Amino acid sequence: MSVQAQFDKAVAIVQGLPKDGPVQPSQDDKLAFYGAFKQANEGDNTGPAPGMFDFVAKAKYKAWKALEGTSQEDAKKRYVDLLKAILQKQDDEESKKYLAELDAAGSA
């Protein structure tokens, strides 16, 4: 099973989710995606923490920093698993289609 292929497909799905579509990740989900994406692509967060009044940057920093020490491979798996969990909560055709695409990418 190709973790990289599933990760790439998951990133494409998340980035392509319509803002008014049936699959709506929560703000916490979006931060979890952000942290896993950054950890998967860049590894541990070594940059300085943002200023205390930059709330968005601080939330993103914390989401990424929480995964410190996680391997890039495990971060990719986490990203895919998070998307699968969100899609499995939905009971619509679009979510089922996305799940099938993720499974196909993993077996390719």
Side-chain angles (χ1 to χ4, degrees):
M1 182 180 293
S2 171
V3 173
Q4 183 65 48
Q6 272 196 313
F7 174 72
D8 291 342
K9 179 49 103 173
V11 169
I13 290 170
V14 169
Q15 290 177 345
L17 287 175
K19 296 199 182 295
D20 59 349
V23 180
Q24 294 294 315
S26 69
Q27 196 64 36
D28 287 341
D29 292 335
K30 290 177 185 178
L31 286 170
F33 280 128
Y34 177 84
F37 180 86
K38 294 293 275 186
Q39 187 71 18
N41 286 300
E42 298 181 30
D44 288 344
N45 183 347
T46 58
M52 96 164 124
F53 292 111
D54 191 348
F55 301 113
V56 172
K58 193 166 188 127
K60 288 179 172 183
Y61 178 87
K62 284 180 163 182
W64 183 8
K65 196 73 171 167
L67 297 178
E68 190 169 35
T70 302
S71 72
Q72 289 180 293
E73 186 86 356
D74 286 344
K76 289 174 185 177
K77 290 176 187 173
R78 182 184 296 252
Y79 191 99
V80 171
D81 289 344
L82 177 60
L83 178 58
K84 283 183 175 182
I86 291 169
L87 293 174
Q88 287 167 349
K89 288 180 192 173
Q90 305 295 319
D91 191 22
D92 60 56
E93 291 307 311
E94 189 170 7
S95 296
K96 291 174 185 171
K97 179 187 82 140
Y98 290 145
L99 283 168
E101 289 176 10
L102 282 172
D103 289 340
S107 60

